């Protein structure tokens, strides 16, 4: 693929990312499945592995479906959805676990947010690394 074609592809991805909420990953305790959005396949393997462990562990401990997504403003959010029939789900425990994750995994979450800002063009690599 030529540089020009890649540039056009990147621009269309950037436009897509900037127009709506973008799911980073989902962990579903009901179906025992994990999904990573293909837009984030270029994340380092160690980051993807840590992300998967964090999400799967969370959904198994708390229950429900854990969704990490970037909102329209580009902020990383953690959402949890539950099935109507899930009477064992503890919303207070869920909120406490989310706050705990935000503290203990702050470095991971910040690095993923920074990656997203570069991916969307909000921050350029030149600015990030101080190159001119």
């Amino acid at each position: 693929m030529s540089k020009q074609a890649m540039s056009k592809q990147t621009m269309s991805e950037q436009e897509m990312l900037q127009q709506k909420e973008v799911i980073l990953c989902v962990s579903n305790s009901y179906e025992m499945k994990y999904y990573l959005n293909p837009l984030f396949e270029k994340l380092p393997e160690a980051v993807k592995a840590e992300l998967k462990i964090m999400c799967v562990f969370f959904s198994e401990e708390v229950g429900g479906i854990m969704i990490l997504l970037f909102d329209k403003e580009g902020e990383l959010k953690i959402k949890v959805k539950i099935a109507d029939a899930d009477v064992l789900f503890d919303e207070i425990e869920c909120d406490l676990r989310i706050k705990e994750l935000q503290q203990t995994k702050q470095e991971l979450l910040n690095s993923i947010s920074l990656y997203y800002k570069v991916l969307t063009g909000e921050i350029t690599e030149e600015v990030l690394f101080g190159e001119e």
Side-chain angles (χ1 to χ4, degrees):
M1 184 180 290
S2 70
K3 277 190 171 185
Q4 188 177 22
M6 286 177 62
S7 176
K8 287 181 182 178
Q9 180 184 9
T10 303
M11 287 303 292
S12 63
E13 285 178 359
Q14 285 178 351
E15 290 169 1
M16 182 185 74
L17 290 169
Q18 292 171 343
Q19 291 180 0
K20 59 182 178 175
E21 289 183 337
V22 176
I23 292 176
L24 169 61
C25 62
V26 177
S27 180
N28 185 328
S29 69
Y30 304 120
E31 296 180 13
M32 299 182 125
K33 291 185 179 181
Y34 174 79
Y35 165 81
L36 176 67
N37 187 331
L39 290 172
F40 299 96
E41 277 300 318
K42 292 183 181 177
L43 280 168
E45 290 301 319
V47 172
K48 290 191 293 188
E50 188 173 353
L51 190 59
K52 182 176 183 177
I53 291 167
M54 177 187 82
C55 293
V56 170
F57 183 74
F58 179 92
S59 63
E60 287 299 312
E61 288 290 311
V62 175
I65 301 168
M66 179 190 196
I67 305 165
L68 265 70
L69 61 87
F70 292 95
D71 64 15
K72 293 177 183 179
E73 288 77 40
E75 298 295 318
L76 183 59
K77 303 289 182 188
I78 300 172
K79 290 187 177 182
V80 177
K81 294 188 177 191
I82 59 168
D84 292 336
D86 192 347
V87 295
L88 298 177
F89 184 81
D90 184 346
E91 194 171 328
I92 295 171
E93 177 69 19
C94 177
D95 290 342
L96 290 172
R97 295 284 182 128
I98 288 173
K99 288 178 183 173
E100 179 184 353
L101 268 183
Q102 290 170 329
Q103 291 175 351
T104 60
K105 299 294 184 179
Q106 182 178 10
E107 187 176 334
L108 173 68
L109 300 174
N110 287 343
S111 66
I112 293 170
S113 292
L114 187 58
Y115 176 86
Y116 182 76
K117 289 177 182 178
V118 171
L119 189 65
T120 59
E122 185 178 330
I123 296 177
T124 63
E125 290 183 44
E126 291 79 20
V127 170
L128 186 62
F129 296 113
E131 299 172 4
E132 292 187 35

